[in-house]
Amino acid sequence: MPELPEVAAHAERLSAAFAGNSLDRFQPLHPAALKTFDPRPAEAAGCVLASVGHRGKYLLLRLDPSDGDDPGRGLTFVVHLMQAGRLRVDAQQARKPRGGMARWTFSDGTALLLTEAGSERRAGVWLVAGDPSGVEPLARLGPDADAIGRDELARRLAGASERVHGFLRDQSHLAGIGRLLANEVLHAARISPFANTARLDDAAVDRLHAAMGAAIDRGLTAERGLEEMGRSADRPNDVHHRVGKECPACGHTVRAVEYRRYRVAYCPACQTGGKVLADNTTSRFLK
């Protein structure tokens, strides 16, 4: 699933290409695409795309009224790509595009197409009037991972008392971190993925906060060099896609704890004092 660096860089690309265009119409191409019923999509017709931004893993297509009065009356399309969704320039504008979920057509004839590979159809679009931050799906999100301060992070860690890998991926704690970033952040911070958040000392919190910023900056720099959103396999990583290979930091073998839908990658030498974590869902290693 695209994480904060990929979504942020893609928002920049889309904003540069489409901001200032007037929306002609929004068209759901799949029954599961549009998650809201009020306001109606027809109300967005004629609005101007002011910018494309992001909140965590969500893209935000912000529209202002065409008359330019009171931007607070504007609308926002909130888009979640999920695992296999992509929002791209729609050059062909086919009537039934493969994997098509929704289309935004602009008055200059250009268009954006939301597609999703596979059959799950979990990518979604919400249309929100006014400030979208206080309503679903954004209301439940914690602060963006690249914006949280060290003391706020410490407060949230202490109050959670759970495995730190799960904490980082929980969007109600922090918005924007997924499996790859969680693995990379904890490796850089030299913290076990199973360490309990409430037991992290001040030095560990300092390392974790610094590692979050560094990993996000690293991913954002790499993603800004691409013309469109890259694949997970191409993202900068030291452990996530290196299980069974040498850790670039110490030369030891990168290991993983395998779950049904994902894996937790880590380096025993760097993160667990040399201990290899049991490879099952009941593993417990808290120091």
Side-chain angles (χ1 to χ4, degrees), residues 201-240:
D201 60 23
D202 287 344
V205 174
D206 289 342
R207 296 197 308 274
L208 184 63
H209 185 257
M212 282 170 46
I216 291 170
D217 286 346
R218 181 188 184 191
L220 188 56
T221 298
E223 196 69 16
R224 281 172 171 161
L226 304 177
E227 294 184 359
E228 63 177 36
M229 189 177 288
R231 303 176 305 151
S232 174
D234 298 327
R235 296 171 193 164
N237 73 99
D238 292 329
V239 292
H240 185 76

Side-chain angles (χ1 to χ4, degrees), residues 241-256:
H241 291 298
R242 295 182 63 87
V243 175
K245 300 178 182 179
E246 289 187 357
C247 168
C250 70
H252 285 74
T253 302
V254 174
R255 303 272 186 167

Side-chain angles (χ1 to χ4, degrees), residues 161-182:
S161 190
E162 62 186 78
R163 289 176 177 176
V164 66
H165 195 278
F167 173 92
L168 291 175
R169 293 185 293 109
D170 187 331
Q171 302 302 294
S172 68
H173 292 317
L174 295 170
I177 292 181
R179 299 167 190 168
L180 185 149
L181 276 180

Side-chain angles (χ1 to χ4, degrees), residues 70-168:
D70 189 10
R73 294 192 295 115
L75 301 170
T76 301
F77 283 102
V78 180
V79 181
H80 200 309
L81 301 175
M82 295 304 293
Q83 184 72 32
R86 291 294 183 269
L87 184 61
R88 296 188 173 107
V89 176
D90 187 8
Q92 297 182 337
Q93 299 187 34
R95 189 171 67 88
K96 292 184 178 181
R98 182 175 181 180
M101 294 291 288
R103 176 184 285 130
W104 291 258
T105 304
F106 296 92
S107 56
D108 65 356
T110 60
L112 282 170
L113 179 67
L114 174 65
T115 62
E116 184 176 10
S119 59
E120 289 190 332
R121 297 295 183 262
R122 298 175 62 201
V125 180
W126 294 255
L127 181 57
V128 179
D131 182 5
S133 63
V135 297
E136 290 298 326
L138 305 184
R140 66 180 182 84
L141 297 181
D144 278 1
D146 61 344
I148 190 170
R150 186 267 180 207
D151 291 344
E152 174 65 11
L153 176 63
R155 184 187 69 79
R156 287 175 175 265
L157 288 165
S161 190
E162 62 186 78
R163 289 176 177 176
V164 66
H165 195 278
F167 173 92
L168 291 175

